[in-house]
Amino acid sequence: MAQRPQLLKKCLEAQPVFQKRCRAMATSASNADVTTGSIKQLQGDLRSGARSAVEVAKEYLERVAKTEPSVRSFLHVAEESALEQAAAIDRAIEGGKALGPLAGVPIGVKDNICTKGLPSTGGSRILENFTPPYDATAIARLKAAGAVIIGKMNCDEFGMGSSTENSGYHITANPWDLTRVPGGSSGGSAAGVAAGQVMASLGSDTGGSIRQPASFCGVVGLKPTYGLVSRYGLMAYASSLDCIGPLANSVEDAAIVLGAMAGHDEADSTSEKQKVPDYTANLRPASELDSRPLAGVRLGLISETMGEGVDPGVVTAIQAAAAHYEQLGAVVEEVSLPSFRQGLPAYYVLAPSEASSNLSRYDGVRYGLRVEGDELTSMYGKTRDQGFGAEVKRRILMGTYALSAGYYDAFYKRAQQVRTLIQRDFQSVLSKYDALLSPTVPTTAYQIGEKTEDPLSMYVGDIMTVNVNLAGLPALVVPCGLDQGLPVGLQLVGPAFGEAELLRLGHVFEQTNSTWRNADLPELVVAR
Amino acid sequence: MKLPGMHAQGVRRGQALKAVAEGLTAQDASAGLEEKYEAVIGIETHVQLNTATKAFCRCRSQYGAEPNTNVCPVCMGLPGALPVLNARVLESAVKLGLALHCTIAPRSKFDRKQYFYPDLPKGYQISQFDIPVAQSGWVEVDLPVEFGGGRRRFGVTRAHLEEDAGKSVHGGGGRLSGSGFSQVDLNRAGVPLIEIVSDPDMRTGLEAAEYGAEIQRIVRYLGISNGNMAEGSMRCDVNVSVRPRGRERFGTKVEIKNMNSFSAMQRAIDFEIARQSALLEAGKDGEIVLETRLWEEGAQRTISMRVKEGLADYRYFPEPDLPEIELTADYLEDVRASLPELPDEKRRRYAAAGLSMQDVLVLANNSDVAAYFERVLGAGADIKAAANWMMGDITKYCKAEKILITDVAMAPETLAELIALIGDGTISGKIGKEILPDLLKEGGGAKQLVEKKGLLQISDDSAVEALVDEVLAAHPKELELFRGGKKKLQGFFTGQVMKKSGGRVNPALMQKVLAAKLNGQ
């Protein structure tokens, strides 16, 4: 913790003069600094020969080099392998071969997802020199679809945290305000997309770790239904809740990335055998939409998420979003989830319980950090003491306690019962509504260091996201406005395997929401 | 053929008692203690399954490979790796559960048993805690005739699936203490095991050993494990407590490990019973503590390894990486239909066919012997005749040659052929015995050998008459004595005719002809 003021100072020094710039979400690819544009546009450019995959990769790597000193969203930039992958795409284009849906797309990968030959630390010092000999299934599928892996994104250690301040390596800044956190635990993945360092990224979401940083950084984030994307190769935090999902500049990009990695995987026994639809099939551009494109759609606004403890600016933005949906033809009604407030405590029993078990493998015996000791237990103790950060230790202790003989029924078992209750509540409400609306987080991005001394205050920030994980449902976060210059994300929760409809609802919103199109992103590159 | 020689070890019980008496107390420990005290014995048996691959990954499950060659991210516990249940493993567990007359849970699950050890890659073992695949069953055994025989039923509390850990190798010999380093071989990590927990139903070392041997036979009959104790594919941990007869409450139980044969198990238990009985008798109840003791084969005694201080907390919780196991009624029926005849069923069948229990135990209890015997029967041989050959000459031959039934060259069908040749009078039983060693050693057909050696039985009336005439002509003195009333000499003539024929004459026919001729017809 002693290093924090220094880091903060560094971040502040790196903070540029704010230059107002029109953030063109999916229109311009001409700006030399801010590399934007959609995946589909990029595919068009590559096919027409307007740009090569290597040129695109270089553009992004340059952008990374310029912005990284201030944002610090990466733990590892994979320049060499990225250029090799891009060159392979170019050869495929030259050879007239069929291109995958992500051909040449520069992607960032959260560091808790295993990438063959690239360091994968999960943001933990205990895996400082660990390079996995295998790709996570999601990575293997992205690569097969032609993706170019730009690097590994910073995160809270093993996904435990909501600000990326629990990374064992460094703090990442929010591109909207470098003194603020990007959220977490997929903070690097969200900041990387917001800062234009990557076109899309992978995050993981156990209690909100994709959605909360997406909200803080003003990008699209999707937590898929549990079991839709294989967990094989994702460093387990809480196995029954963990999901890999995409973060992107637009709903369409997120849909394309999701489609490339979703689907059954034999290596993950909890992966579902559902057939994967084309998630882009129902995404129509604004020009093709009529005046009431969502007529017949029923949306429930979760009343428990709009009251006390939620920033007024956030409430205003969500109300505006709800009103916008009504204008689009949808019926929006307030709904109540009686079990809503019980989710957070249940989550903070279940997730640490599983974590205490999942993190047992980091023992210094086979890989990663080993601190020698006089005998076995002291080696274990020293290795885990030096390798794990404070938050990880806290959760291991909480989980170990909750699973101990004599406490199991009072904690773990009871939390599982709450989980069932929450699932039932969602089920009953989702039988009446196509999707549920809520804020993603009660606040916008807070200051770096603001909540690190009070873990509970940070846990409370997860109140709107954890229930979705407990119920295993999909949820999409779409930027819906600004509160005092900081992004607010709208969360849409759908029924299990209802991703296609969620994406359609998010896409229509995004295509028609003019307030967001004019949002301002500060210029990140230090003035030359 | 290696006969179950283990029972001969039972007599050592007295020696164990004596050792205890000498070592622990001055009094005569053996006098009356067995009448006064009763042991309660429960057994946990770990059976390593012989599936081609491990329980939760595709690595080969192979004994004796180079260290750390059959490993992958899953069984090494690498970050992000996930288990996938091997369907064969589940099938083996269901088979065993059914063979043990257990109730098979239509829905069961896996749990994590958590502890730190270098050879446990994930820091937890995937096991089953509160809902095992199988529970509430039993096995029935027939005790050896030489120990009074009798039939016993022992309850099976449960049988559950789990994965094995790796193997720790300590530098400078097998022991942890004093070694400068330790190495871990993860080839065994993730190899499937079934743990079978018995009810505390056994009362003697013999009963415990018989229970263990029956489990071994069952897994071998089912073909789900080689059940080899020396290799560690089958391991038995035994809990022993002693209480005064008539008391209901159990005494303090002691766990015994490190027995690599059933005979060792029997001796270890009997030693432990004697040790605890002597302590109780001496009023030293407090010296019987909750502990794990090791059986020392060399010294024939148990020694304390570690005292259990409270119960270990393994923090079991449901394994979130594996879905619940659901077994449909159809699946269970399919597995049930695929079960072979089990050892106890075989014993009942042999006994019902009229074999003595002694024969039944030998013929049914060793799966190789039983398989051989079944083929003899399958080729049409009479069960009693076949049993006599198996129990008599064939056993004798194997013992003398120090070989197993699987090593003999004679096909089981040849034994059936031999029995048939004797039965239809083609050869005599004596000739049969004579040619058996050749068949056992060289193989080949029985009739073929008989013909080759010119040993066909002489059953032709005129040929037998000619033989008898020749013998009578050659021994006029004896013939005169016989006709003078010395009827005992008929045996002499019989021997002479048999000798002259080279043993080939049909004995019944010869007796008839001889009697007629002797009596002057």
Side-chain angles (χ1 to χ4, degrees), chain A residues 71-91:
Chain A
V71 183
R72 307 187 80 199
S73 50
F74 282 81
L75 284 177
H76 178 79
V77 179
E79 183 163 359
E80 200 178 322
S81 60
L83 290 173
E84 276 170 22
Q85 285 163 6
I89 297 293
D90 286 337
R91 281 196 299 276

Side-chain angles (χ1 to χ4, degrees), chain B residues 418-457:
Chain B
L418 186 66
I419 292 169
L421 289 176
I422 295 165
D424 68 14
T426 310
I427 57 168
S428 66
K430 186 162 175 292
I431 294 288
K433 278 175 182 285
E434 275 176 28
I435 64 166
L436 182 72
D438 275 355
L439 290 171
L440 288 167
K441 200 172 166 200
E442 310 289 346
K447 180 130 194 214
Q448 207 184 340
L449 185 64
V450 165
E451 278 169 358
K452 190 176 137 202
K453 291 198 162 188
L455 296 174
L456 283 178
Q457 187 158 284

Side-chain angles (χ1 to χ4, degrees), chain A residues 134 233 266 357 361 366-367 405, chain B residues 58 76-80 112 121 313:
Chain A
Y134 54 95
E266 272 187 8
S357 175
R361 65 185 61 196
R366 284 144 296 128
Y367 50 82
Chain B
R58 289 187 174 143
M76 285 177 75
L78 259 52
R112 292 184 182 176
D313 184 358

Side-chain angles (χ1 to χ4, degrees), chain B residues 318-330:
Chain B
E319 164 60 283
D321 287 331
L322 291 167
E324 280 192 338
I325 304 167
E326 284 182 55
L327 300 174
T328 63
D330 283 353

Side-chain angles (χ1 to χ4, degrees), chain A residues 114 130 134 231-235 239 266-267 269-270 357-358 360-362 366-367 376 380 400 403-405 408 412, chain B residues 58 73 76-84 112 114 116-118 121-124 313 315-318 320-323:
Chain A
C114 287
F130 179 69
Y134 54 95
R231 290 185 296 119
Y232 190 85
L234 168 65
M235 295 173 188
S239 316
E266 272 187 8
S269 311
T270 61
S357 175
N358 284 328
S360 297
R361 65 185 61 196
Y362 307 114
R366 284 144 296 128
Y367 50 82
L376 185 63
Y380 282 151
T400 304
L403 290 178
S404 295
Y408 181 87
Y412 186 86
Chain B
R58 289 187 174 143
M76 285 177 75
L78 259 52
L82 297 171
V84 175
R112 292 184 182 176
Q114 313 193 64
F116 282 98
Y117 205 69
K122 300 186 292 294
Y124 56 83
D313 184 358
R315 287 176 285 114
Y316 280 100
F317 80 106
D321 287 331
L322 291 167

Side-chain angles (χ1 to χ4, degrees), chain B residues 306-450:
Chain B
R306 59 166 179 264
V307 174
K308 295 182 180 177
E309 290 164 358
L311 283 173
D313 184 358
Y314 292 114
R315 287 176 285 114
Y316 280 100
F317 80 106
E319 164 60 283
D321 287 331
L322 291 167
E324 280 192 338
I325 304 167
E326 284 182 55
L327 300 174
T328 63
D330 283 353
Y331 174 84
L332 289 182
E333 265 329 294
D334 285 352
V335 176
R336 196 188 296 276
S338 77
L339 293 182
E341 183 183 43
L342 293 163
D344 194 46
E345 291 165 352
K346 203 180 280 292
R347 291 195 298 264
R348 300 276 72 74
R349 180 161 61 88
Y350 289 174
L355 298 189
S356 73
M357 191 44 68
Q358 182 80 37
D359 290 2
V360 166
L361 293 181
V362 173
L363 294 171
N365 279 355
N366 178 304
S367 57
D368 290 334
V369 174
Y372 193 97
F373 186 59
E374 284 295 324
R375 277 176 63 188
V376 178
L377 299 184
D382 169 66
I383 186 165
K384 282 192 177 169
N388 284 339
W389 283 99
M390 294 285 293
M391 295 295 294
D393 292 63
I394 296 178
T395 300
K396 221 179 292 165
Y397 174 84
C398 289
K399 262 189 182 163
E401 299 292 320
K402 296 192 167 65
I403 59 169
L404 300 171
I405 188 73
T406 43
D407 299 327
V408 306
M410 181 176 78
E413 291 74 18
T414 306
L415 177 57
E417 186 193 358
L418 186 66
I419 292 169
L421 289 176
I422 295 165
D424 68 14
T426 310
I427 57 168
S428 66
K430 186 162 175 292
I431 294 288
K433 278 175 182 285
E434 275 176 28
I435 64 166
L436 182 72
D438 275 355
L439 290 171
L440 288 167
K441 200 172 166 200
E442 310 289 346
K447 180 130 194 214
Q448 207 184 340
L449 185 64
V450 165

